[in-house]
Amino acid sequence: MFFTKHRQLFRWIIITASFAIISLILWNTYVFFQKFKAEERRKMETWSYAQSDFLNSFRNGLDGEVNNVTTFIITDSTSTTPMILVSPTGEISSFNNLDTLKIKHVERYLLKKKEQFKQENSPIPLSYFNNTTNKDEAIGTLYYGNSPLLNKLKYYPLALLLIIVLFAAVVYFFYRSSKIATQNKLWSGMAKETAHQIGTPLSSLIGWTEILKIEDTNPEYIKEIEKDIHRLQTITERFSKIGSIPTLDKADIISETQEAFDYLKSRSSKLVNFDIKLPEHPIYVNLNKQLYGWTIENLVKNAIDAMKGKGDLQLSISLLEQQVKITVTDTGKGISKNEFNTIFEPGYTTKKRGWGLGLSLAKRIVEDFHNGQIKVLNSEKGVGTTMQISLKTIL
């Protein structure tokens, strides 16, 4: 109970703590990287001093007597830092830890590497003390790059950020899926409860209709009442089926579409010009009649709303490679391309009093229950919209 009551507070605490932990990890990585880089700098400076001492022993007439420590530093094979030694005249005198075996133009490659190393680290000048002139003389300049380990460490924060982003994405989609599943469960429960609530007065209406027949009431009145009762029964069946997995039966989609279309045509504005184009032969699909009729009604009602009760509305059916295409075209205000998928999301609506459930229910009925597809085929602002349903046919 306490957690539920302060859920928002706990959420912000977790988010803040996560950002704090990420920031600390990235900062520590950066500090470690800088320390490691400074350590490599000291190693290169030590190597430069050893190189200077080595050359100094020859140039000052010491008969090549070199300190053992100097020899060890220069010949150390454990170093993996790439380096290039450039003479005072600008010529490359030596290089180390650079793979030039597969390089055709070695000089060009080394010059390119020299510029790269210059960007990565400050060059180290080499000199020796001339006993004859009693002053330092330049030997050359050492250019060195980052070692393979340092390069890997440089990209570690990026890899860490990528892992964190992927983990956050997984958590987000898990949370979103859980939320959607909870919403679907809620809508299903509401649908079943609605069907149950309608069922009680509906049964009473059927009973009163039978009494009216006995009382010799005008048959036309009874006929209209029975139509409305039949309509309520259809609505009840729809709500009861949307809350569970409906059964599909072989049905002629031509006749089912015609029935739903005619019902809406007779009860819609006379300012709407209805037109329907259907094949003359039947087309059979696995269908739940009540839910399919609901889908057609939703598409037609949305088209009428988009035209504000005045315009041309056309429904057509065509057969293409074992798939039946049902299209509903209106001359309404149209929608932009970035809304083609958004309109099917629950809660999306452009009406002031709309709930945004019609097209989301239609999508669930077509795609989840009938393994079909529903989409905006095309639309243009101020011209109109064409919606299309695709279903697989059966023999």
Side-chain angles (χ1 to χ4, degrees):
M1 181 65 71
F2 178 80
F3 178 79
T4 304
K5 186 178 180 180
H6 299 85
R7 181 170 53 188
Q8 194 70 17
L9 176 62
F10 278 110
R11 186 180 299 171
W12 280 110
I13 290 173
I14 292 171
I15 292 173
T16 305
S18 300
F19 274 108
I21 292 170
I22 293 169
S23 300
L24 285 173
I25 292 174
L26 293 178
W27 172 252
N28 286 329
T29 304
Y30 173 77
V31 171
F32 180 69
F33 177 81
Q34 294 301 322
K35 287 183 178 180
F36 197 84
K37 193 176 180 70
E39 186 68 26
E40 283 206 345
R41 177 78 180 181
R42 284 192 290 271
K43 287 181 180 179
M44 289 298 99
E45 288 175 346
T46 302
W47 188 91
S48 67
Y49 294 148
Q51 185 73 13
S52 297
D53 186 55
F54 178 77
L55 295 174
N56 185 54
S57 66
F58 287 95
R59 298 192 181 191
N60 285 319
L62 298 178
D63 298 327
E65 293 181 5
V66 183
N67 189 291
N68 290 333
V69 176
T70 299
T71 305
F72 175 78
I73 293 173
I74 294 174
T75 59
D76 183 14
S77 61
T78 60
S79 176
T80 58
T81 305
M83 63 184 76
I84 297 174
L85 185 61
V86 180
S87 67
T89 58
E91 297 178 354
I92 295 175
S93 57
S94 65
F95 59 90
N96 196 14
N97 295 322
L98 287 171
D99 186 10
T100 59
L101 296 177
K102 298 180 180 179
I103 304 298
K104 291 183 179 180
H105 305 286
V106 177
E107 291 184 6
R108 188 186 303 171
Y109 170 74
L110 292 175
L111 289 173
K112 186 177 179 182
K113 280 293 180 182
K114 171 192 160 187
E115 293 301 319
Q116 178 187 332
F117 294 164
K118 187 177 179 180
Q119 297 294 326
E120 291 179 355
N121 302 287
S122 299
I124 301 174
L126 275 71
S127 62
Y128 79 101
F129 184 77
N130 193 325
N131 292 331
T132 304
T133 60
N134 290 324
K135 62 180 181 179
D136 290 334
E137 292 188 10
I139 298 173
T141 306
L142 177 65
Y143 295 85
Y144 71 97
N146 295 329
S147 65
L149 181 60
L150 193 62
N151 282 327
K152 290 178 181 178
L153 187 62
K154 181 172 64 176
Y155 295 110
Y156 173 75
L158 295 177
L160 182 64
L161 281 175
L162 180 61
I163 293 171
I164 292 170
V165 169
L166 290 175
F167 179 75
V170 170
V171 172
Y172 169 75
F173 284 114
F174 174 79
Y175 173 76
R176 189 169 182 269
S177 299
S178 177
K179 188 176 180 181
I180 291 173
T182 303
Q183 288 178 343
N184 288 337
K185 194 173 182 180
L186 176 62
W187 287 118
S188 298
M190 288 182 64
K192 288 184 177 181
E193 180 62 21
T194 302
H196 177 71
Q197 293 293 334
I198 293 175
T200 303
L202 183 59
S203 300
S204 178
L205 283 174
I206 294 173
W208 282 109
T209 304
E210 294 300 322
I211 293 173
L212 289 175
K213 288 180 181 179
I214 297 172
E215 296 293 331
D216 293 330
T217 307
N218 190 331
E220 290 299 322
Y221 298 162
I222 296 175
K223 185 177 180 182
E224 291 301 318
I225 293 173
E226 286 179 337
K227 285 182 180 179
D228 289 333
I229 289 174
H230 178 70
R231 176 66 178 171
L232 287 172
Q233 287 175 329
T234 302
I235 293 172
T236 304
E237 289 182 14
R238 288 174 179 176
F239 276 105
S240 63
K241 286 180 171 61
I242 201 68
S244 57
I245 303 299
T247 56
L248 305 181
D249 299 312
K250 182 178 179 180
D252 177 19
I253 198 167
I254 304 299
S255 61
E256 296 301 325
T257 305
Q258 181 78 65
E259 182 180 342
F261 188 82
D262 289 343
Y263 176 83
L264 287 171
K265 181 179 178 180
S266 63
R267 286 163 174 77
S268 300
S269 171
K270 301 301 179 184
L271 298 176
V272 177
N273 299 317
F274 288 88
D275 182 30
I276 186 167
K277 294 182 179 180
L278 305 175
E280 295 181 358
H281 55 84
I283 300 175
Y284 294 101
V285 297
N286 285 322
L287 204 66
N288 183 280
K289 297 179 181 180
Q290 289 79 16
L291 294 182
Y292 173 74
W294 197 0
T295 302
I296 295 298
E297 288 178 17
N298 278 329
L299 293 183
V300 173
K301 285 179 180 178
N302 276 344
I304 295 172
D305 289 338
M307 298 186 295
K308 296 183 178 180
K310 182 180 180 180
D312 298 326
L313 189 149
Q314 184 186 80
L315 188 150
S316 63
I317 294 181
S318 59
L319 186 62
L320 180 65
E321 296 180 357
Q322 296 183 341
Q323 276 202 332
V324 59
K325 310 284 186 180
I326 305 100
T327 58
V328 178
T329 304
D330 63 63
T331 55
K333 57 184 178 180
I335 57 177
S336 57
K337 286 188 177 180
N338 58 1
E339 293 178 310
F340 279 15
N341 293 322
T342 309
I343 61 173
F344 293 104
E345 294 180 1
Y348 180 86
T349 180
T350 57
K351 306 173 194 175
K352 292 182 179 179
R353 297 184 179 180
W355 283 58
L357 294 177
L359 288 178
S360 63
L361 281 172
K363 184 178 179 67
R364 184 177 183 184
I365 291 169
V366 173
E367 297 187 356
D368 294 350
F369 296 157
H370 290 84
N371 295 320
Q373 184 185 34
I374 183 171
K375 64 180 180 179
V376 181
L377 189 61
N378 55 67
S379 183
E380 187 176 346
K381 285 284 188 179
V383 177
T385 303
T386 299
M387 305 288 292
Q388 184 184 77
I389 297 174
S390 301
L391 296 173
K392 292 181 180 179
T393 61
I394 58 174
L395 298 177

